Amino acid sequence: VTIPNNVALVVKEGVVIKFAPYSLFTVNGQLKILGLPQNKVYLTSLLDDTIAGDTKGDGNLSTSSYFEGWGIDFRYGALPHLITNADVKYLRSGLWFDTTSADLDGVNVSDSDQTIGGYKSSITLQNSTLSTFDDGIYADGGSFEISDTLFEHIFDWSGDAMAFYNRAVANLNNVQVTDIADGSALGVYDSTVTVSNSIFSGGTDAGVEIYD
């Protein structure tokens, strides 16, 4: 599925969207997901029977896994995107932003391989939770503003909660990282990251790794 240039797709509260295994949703235009705190939007796998029932109609013959997950590719040149009050599950390639911008508020990502990443993009993430994943935030250049957000249950032995590369700029305020495996809570690689009022705990590797 592709949203063409100069076309906006608005997803209203209460909508459930299920993605086929290994599918990629490409956004060349604009995507607005507008859930409400009491009536969220749900993005998940077609194999996930816990939300809106057995959509695939195969009973107990299939189960959800990020190994057969999906992703959304927000392409360069696209308009600013907005995701509010959404639960996102079983991502494989994650929510990837390529030379664009997005505001994410009240977004809960769980049971996923990749979660949220960007190449030379401007991303705001607040009031959110990322749990049970391999890799969390990945920034290749660009900027991230992250506040009031929890990262927990990182199950890959080398996965990082947040990693910033290639002169990325990030501001982290009231961010908590807990229950990580052998990765780092924060990796800073030739980038600038400002941290305030935050707690990093639970990992066996360095809480913060800094490289030129």
Side-chain angles (χ1 to χ4, degrees):
V1 177
T2 299
I3 301 176
N5 289 328
N6 301 316
V7 173
L9 174 64
V10 179
V11 180
K12 296 292 187 68
E13 69 274 9
V15 170
V16 176
I17 301 176
K18 294 189 175 184
F19 295 86
Y22 310 110
S23 61
L24 183 65
F25 184 21
T26 301
V27 182
N28 293 322
Q30 183 180 39
L31 179 60
K32 293 184 177 181
I33 296 175
L34 306 178
L36 298 174
Q38 69 276 18
N39 195 12
K40 295 182 177 182
V41 171
Y42 296 90
L43 308 177
T44 188
S45 167
L46 180 63
L47 307 180
D48 183 2
D49 296 345
T50 66
I51 299 173
D54 182 17
T55 308
K56 195 169 184 287
D58 62 352
N60 296 322
L61 296 180
S62 60
T63 57
S64 303
S65 168
Y66 74 81
F67 291 111
E68 297 177 340
W70 54 279
I72 302 180
D73 188 5
F74 298 84
R75 301 300 300 275
Y76 53 88
L79 300 170
H81 308 284
L82 178 63
I83 305 176
T84 62
N85 300 301
D87 282 1
V88 184
K89 299 179 68 176
Y90 301 113
L91 286 166
R92 182 177 177 86
S93 54
L95 306 178
W96 179 255
F97 299 90
D98 187 340
T99 325
T100 185
S101 62
D103 292 329
L104 288 68
D105 189 350
V107 176
N108 299 318
V109 181
S110 65
D111 302 292
S112 297
D113 183 7
Q114 309 298 316
T115 58
I116 300 169
Y119 172 72
K120 294 184 178 179
S121 293
S122 177
I123 310 297
T124 298
L125 175 68
Q126 59 184 344
N127 304 313
S128 297
T129 299
L130 279 65
S131 64
T132 316
F133 59 87
D134 276 357
D135 287 296
I137 300 298
Y138 177 91
D140 184 354
S143 65
F144 266 83
E145 299 282 340
I146 305 175
S147 61
D148 304 309
T149 291
L150 171 66
F151 298 81
E152 61 180 355
H153 309 315
I154 305 167
F155 55 80
D156 188 287
W157 285 106
S158 61
D160 295 331
M162 295 169 284
F164 300 94
Y165 295 84
N166 297 327
R167 299 184 180 179
V169 177
N171 290 296
L172 315 179
N173 180 50
N174 195 27
V175 172
Q176 183 177 357
V177 180
T178 185
D179 190 18
I180 65 178
D182 197 35
S184 298
L186 172 63
V188 183
Y189 310 97
D190 190 24
S191 296
T192 302
V193 179
T194 302
V195 181
S196 59
N197 304 315
S198 298
I199 299 174
F200 302 155
S201 62
T204 58
D205 197 359
V208 178
E209 288 186 333
I210 301 176
Y211 295 94
D212 293 334

